[in-house]
Amino acid sequence: MVGPNGNESSATYFILIGLPGLEEAQFWLAFPLCSLYLIAVLGNLTIIYIVRTEHSLHEPMYIFLCMLSGLDVLISTSSMPKMMAIFWFNSTTIQFDACLLQMFAIHSLSGMESTVLLAMAFDRYVAICHPLRHATVLTLPRVTKIGMAAVVRGVALMAPLPVFIKRLPFCRSNILSHSYCLHQDVMKLACADIHVNIIYGLIVIVSAIGLDSLLISLSYLLILKTVLGLTREAQAKAFGTCVSHVCAVFIFYVPFIGLSMVHRFGKPHDSLLPIILANTYLLVPPVLNPIVYGVKTKEIRQRILRLFHVTTHTLDP
């Protein structure tokens, strides 16, 4: 932004534009978005509750699912309340430090989720390709350490982010094109050289998302090779245990990669496409993951039906 004498000054706040071109419809669009957010929170908390209370589900696959659900709740909560405030109350201003905190939370939680998805792929690889070693390789203490490693990795990858943003002077517009703060969006407002930020962003994407997606693909190639040598009944059972995770992988990576590609190679006038991808990236996975696992995973589905049956039975006069 520009000081009174035309000099460079540091940003003190940003303006979140919401949905450009749809300002008049934002108030009404907030209702289905809020409903989706509530569904996401309720669905993921239900998964966490079921896994925690059912001792038979204290296995690596379900513990990783519990981690995934917890991250989905945090990711959607890091952006949706502010988005609802923008749409319903026109609260478009966000302080610089609050924007920085939101940005750090969204990016670090995304890195953690990518790590958990990789861990879930490794769990399926060991369970299908080396079933006799599964119990000894993925013990509960080791699963806990993997979860802690996911947190440390996500935080460590994003630790330089506040430094790289705070060093930038902002002398242009302070209007962000999204409904929440993203590194790609904020750095474009700087009036200094942002090559360091661009290189840092590429390093993070390649070392986290790129590496994780590559290892997940490799895991499933090895799984496919093993499964093709099994009987049809065993093949169906093996594929059945992987369907939910494959869906979760596509639900997470496709919007993320699409958003990254649009930010780097999209045309400046294509303002609505990155907004849609950004909202999809933060809201759709938390909504769909519990639905996919609830429908495709027999053990989870049975516990959900039992939970609601007990609740309904209790409320009957």
Side-chain angles (χ1 to χ4, degrees):
M1 289 179 280
V2 182
N5 299 321
N7 298 323
E8 296 177 359
S9 64
S10 298
T12 57
Y13 66 93
F14 293 106
I15 303 296
L16 298 170
I17 198 170
L19 299 175
L22 298 175
E23 287 82 4
E24 294 183 1
Q26 285 182 166
F27 179 85
W28 301 109
L29 289 173
F31 287 97
L33 287 175
C34 184
S35 299
L36 288 174
Y37 171 63
L38 294 176
I39 291 171
V41 172
L42 178 62
N44 285 289
L45 290 181
T46 300
I47 295 290
I48 294 172
Y49 173 78
I50 289 173
V51 173
R52 182 177 179 181
T53 55
E54 291 286 344
H55 293 286
S56 61
L57 298 182
H58 291 182
E59 299 178 4
M61 180 175 74
Y62 301 110
I63 295 175
F64 286 136
L65 174 59
C66 202
M67 295 178 189
L68 184 69
S69 295
L71 290 171
D72 279 340
V73 171
L74 292 175
I75 287 176
S76 57
T77 301
S78 65
S79 60
M80 289 304 298
K82 179 59 179 178
M83 194 183 302
M84 295 302 100
I86 295 171
F87 293 172
W88 277 332
F89 308 111
N90 199 31
S91 177
T92 57
T93 302
I94 183 169
Q95 295 300 313
F96 179 82
D97 289 336
C99 182
L100 201 62
L101 178 61
Q102 185 185 58
M103 188 191 316
F104 178 82
I106 290 172
H107 289 299
S108 60
L109 289 168
S110 298
M112 295 176 203
E113 182 151 342
S114 180
T115 306
V116 171
L117 288 171
L118 174 60
M120 296 173 81
F122 178 69
D123 169 68
R124 290 299 85 207
Y125 163 73
V126 177
I128 293 173
C129 300
H130 305 283
L132 298 179
R133 298 177 55 190
H134 185 260
T136 56
V137 172
L138 284 167
T139 61
L140 289 181
R142 193 163 292 170
V143 169
T144 303
K145 290 178 180 179
I146 292 174
M148 293 174 62
V151 174
V152 171
R153 184 194 188 205
V155 172
L157 284 172
M158 291 301 138
L161 181 61
V163 178
F164 288 146
I165 292 296
K166 283 197 170 185
R167 74 178 183 87
L168 295 174
F170 295 90
C171 58
R172 298 173 183 168
S173 170
N174 64 341
I175 299 176
L176 298 174
S177 60
H178 287 293
S179 305
Y180 54 87
C181 295
L182 281 177
H183 177 229
Q184 305 97 309
D185 201 16
V186 172
M187 70 179 183
K188 291 178 180 178
L189 299 182
C191 52
D193 186 4
I194 60 172
H195 281 92
V196 173
N197 294 70
I198 294 173
I199 293 171
Y200 164 69
L202 288 173
I203 291 174
V204 170
I205 289 177
V206 171
S207 61
I209 305 300
L211 180 61
D212 292 351
S213 58
L214 179 63
L215 292 175
I216 290 172
S217 301
L218 178 60
S219 297
Y220 275 103
L221 286 175
L222 296 173
I223 288 172
L224 183 62
K225 181 180 177 182
T226 300
V227 168
L228 291 177
L230 303 176
T231 63
R232 288 191 175 182
E233 183 179 353
Q235 286 179 353
K237 184 177 180 180
F239 282 129
T241 64
C242 297
V243 169
S244 299
H245 179 254
V246 171
C247 291
V249 168
F250 277 101
I251 289 169
F252 175 79
Y253 283 106
V254 170
F256 184 93
I257 294 173
L259 180 61
S260 299
M261 296 293 287
V262 167
H263 269 291
R264 281 166 176 78
F265 306 111
K267 298 178 181 179
H269 61 270
D270 293 335
S271 58
L272 195 56
L273 179 58
I275 304 299
I276 295 173
L277 285 174
N279 292 335
T280 300
Y281 154 61
L282 285 189
L283 188 57
V284 171
V287 171
L288 292 185
N289 281 339
I291 296 174
V292 169
Y293 276 94
V295 171
K296 292 294 184 180
T297 307
K298 180 181 178 182
E299 292 78 7
I300 296 293
R301 183 173 67 252
Q302 289 177 341
R303 268 66 176 190
I304 291 175
L305 292 174
R306 186 190 306 171
L307 174 66
F308 283 99
H309 171 75
V310 171
T311 302
T312 304
H313 179 73
T314 305
L315 293 176
D316 286 341

